[in-house]
Amino acid sequence: MKIAIDGMGGDHAPKSIVEGVLLALEDFPNIEVQLYGKQQELEPYLKQHDRLQVIHCEEVVEGEDDPARAVRRKKDSSMAKILEAVTENRADACLSAGNTGALMAGGLFKVGRIEGVARPALATTLPTIDGQGFLMLDLGANADAKPENILQYAIMGYVYAKKVRGIDNPRVGLLNIGTEDKKGNDLTKQAFTLLKESNIHFIGNVEARDLLNNVADVVVTDGFTGNMVLKSIEGTAGAMMSMLKEAFMSSGKTKISALLMKNELKNLKGKLDYSEYGGAALFGLQAPVIKAHGSSDARAIYSAIRQASVMVEHHVTEVIKETIAKSQEQ
């Protein structure tokens, strides 16, 4: 399978992108990588590989570029070219750690929506205390949503959890302010009814405080709420690690304690590490489009490539198409 990768997107590009690509090529013999970017900037980190093709691009979509216009205006940018490669069937999936809004807008404009999908959703796997993780969507592709959109998010998330994460019958929960059936606003109440009548394994409402306790395998919500919850989780995890570090480095006695607990602290950090889960997938498009975290290191890029390859291998886009079509017939 062929994966098109934006070599210029992200805080640590192109170094971390190239290093992640090389790691993935060593471990995944079934993939070929098309790496797009400025040749002269990629060159210092490259190694010769028979499954790596480097395609030079003159332009780069920057973080401050207008998301709605960036890909259209910068037609020779690495981001525009990876989307073009997927659209023209020269690649099976694409990946970027660059401007999130530009990638989403470009994905809609170039790759296009699956027929029947009203609004694509941004989804990622977040950590849980037991290490299993859960899929959450929408994380900001759409600030507003209708009940029908929430149902489609649930269907797409269910397919992904089953096909990519290998969960036999994924539990789908609706994010709400309480677990009772009648809780919430008009959106969640109507979405609850649709989800309950669907053929997926809907377990009811779930609260934000229970997300990290593996209360569900898939959690659905509107993009505005999802993005705030995501950033709250990221911010809280980062703050806790900083406070732990400050506490353990405060005196000689605590430094010795930290040394004795080195492995346990490393395991804790690993549970909260986004790099092990890959990137955020834009569900509902005609091909897999993966958004890696802007601060991705080589390991995170490696995981995002693995995620893209598994989505292609298990025909996730095709299964979503079929499932959405069947749901509309019912």
Side-chain angles (χ1 to χ4, degrees):
M1 66 184 74
K2 295 179 174 65
I3 301 176
I5 297 177
D6 177 3
M8 308 306 295
D11 301 340
H12 307 299
K15 184 175 185 289
S16 64
I17 311 296
V18 176
E19 289 175 351
V21 165
L22 295 173
L23 284 173
L25 286 169
E26 290 302 311
D27 283 2
F28 310 134
N30 63 327
I31 69 167
E32 293 179 20
V33 171
Q34 300 166 1
L35 185 62
Y36 292 80
K38 293 187 175 181
Q39 182 88 33
Q40 66 274 21
E41 294 186 32
L42 296 170
E43 200 68 50
Y45 311 106
L46 288 170
K47 292 180 183 176
Q48 190 68 32
H49 200 289
D50 59 358
R51 286 184 283 114
L52 173 62
Q53 179 187 7
V54 179
I55 299 99
H56 177 70
C57 302
E58 285 292 339
E59 297 178 294
V60 176
V61 172
E62 305 289 353
E64 62 272 13
D65 284 345
D66 179 5
R69 297 183 177 90
V71 171
R72 295 191 191 197
R73 286 182 175 176
K74 295 186 172 181
K75 294 181 179 179
D76 194 39
S77 65
S78 49
M79 184 180 288
K81 290 298 183 182
I82 64 168
L83 293 166
E84 187 178 286
V86 169
T87 305
E88 297 177 357
N89 297 316
R90 289 182 281 108
D92 301 299
C94 65
L95 184 159
S96 176
N99 186 316
T100 304
L103 186 67
M104 290 193 294
L108 281 168
F109 171 62
K110 285 182 172 287
V111 181
R113 289 193 298 259
I114 290 172
E115 185 177 353
V117 173
R119 295 183 181 183
L122 199 60
T124 196
T125 302
L126 296 170
T128 53
I129 292 170
D130 61 6
Q132 295 301 308
F134 71 98
L135 183 76
M136 188 168 175
L137 66 165
D138 178 23
L139 297 175
N142 308 282
D144 298 311
K146 296 177 180 178
E148 296 79 13
N149 304 142
I150 302 289
L151 175 61
Q152 289 192 338
Y153 299 164
I155 292 169
M156 294 189 290
Y158 182 89
V159 169
Y160 181 89
K162 191 170 185 176
K163 292 290 182 180
V164 176
R165 304 202 63 228
I167 302 169
D168 184 46
N169 191 22
R171 300 162 298 155
V172 179
L174 174 65
L175 189 63
N176 209 330
I177 57 171
T179 57
E180 299 87 348
D181 292 4
K182 301 297 181 183
K183 280 279 190 176
N185 55 18
D186 288 341
L187 173 64
T188 56
K189 287 175 183 176
Q190 292 178 48
F192 184 97
T193 302
L194 292 177
L195 289 165
K196 198 169 185 179
E197 293 171 352
S198 71
N199 294 324
I200 60 177
H201 184 194
F202 179 55
I203 61 168
N205 292 322
V206 296
E207 294 187 81
R209 65 182 177 184
D210 297 322
L211 293 179
L212 303 189
N213 290 322
N214 195 17
V215 68
D217 302 305
V218 179
V219 175
V220 291
T221 186
D222 63 273
F224 183 82
T225 305
N227 191 270
M228 287 200 297
V229 170
L230 170 67
K231 287 174 179 173
S232 294
I233 291 173
E234 287 182 338
T236 302
M240 286 195 67
M241 292 307 298
S242 296
M243 287 189 289
L244 277 171
K245 184 177 180 181
E246 185 180 342
F248 277 117
M249 295 294 107
S250 61
S251 69
K253 181 172 67 175
T254 55
K255 286 178 182 178
I256 294 171
S257 299
L259 189 62
L260 294 172
M261 293 179 65
K262 184 178 179 181
N263 290 335
E264 287 77 9
L265 291 170
K266 189 176 180 181
N267 289 337
L268 174 61
K269 187 178 180 183
K271 282 184 178 181
L272 300 172
D273 188 2
Y274 69 87
S275 68
E276 293 301 319
Y277 293 93
L282 196 53
F283 288 173
L285 297 184
Q286 294 281 357
V289 175
I290 306 295
K291 171 62 179 75
H293 202 291
S295 59
S296 289
D297 58 12
R299 190 70 194 174
I301 296 299
Y302 168 93
S303 297
I305 294 170
R306 178 184 61 202
Q307 178 186 12
S309 69
V310 173
M311 286 186 71
V312 174
E313 182 182 353
H314 290 279
H315 309 287
V316 170
T317 300
E318 289 76 11
V319 177
I320 288 175
K321 284 181 185 178
E322 293 170 9
T323 311
I324 292 292
K326 286 178 183 176
S327 71
Q328 291 184 326
E329 291 171 4
Q330 293 170 354

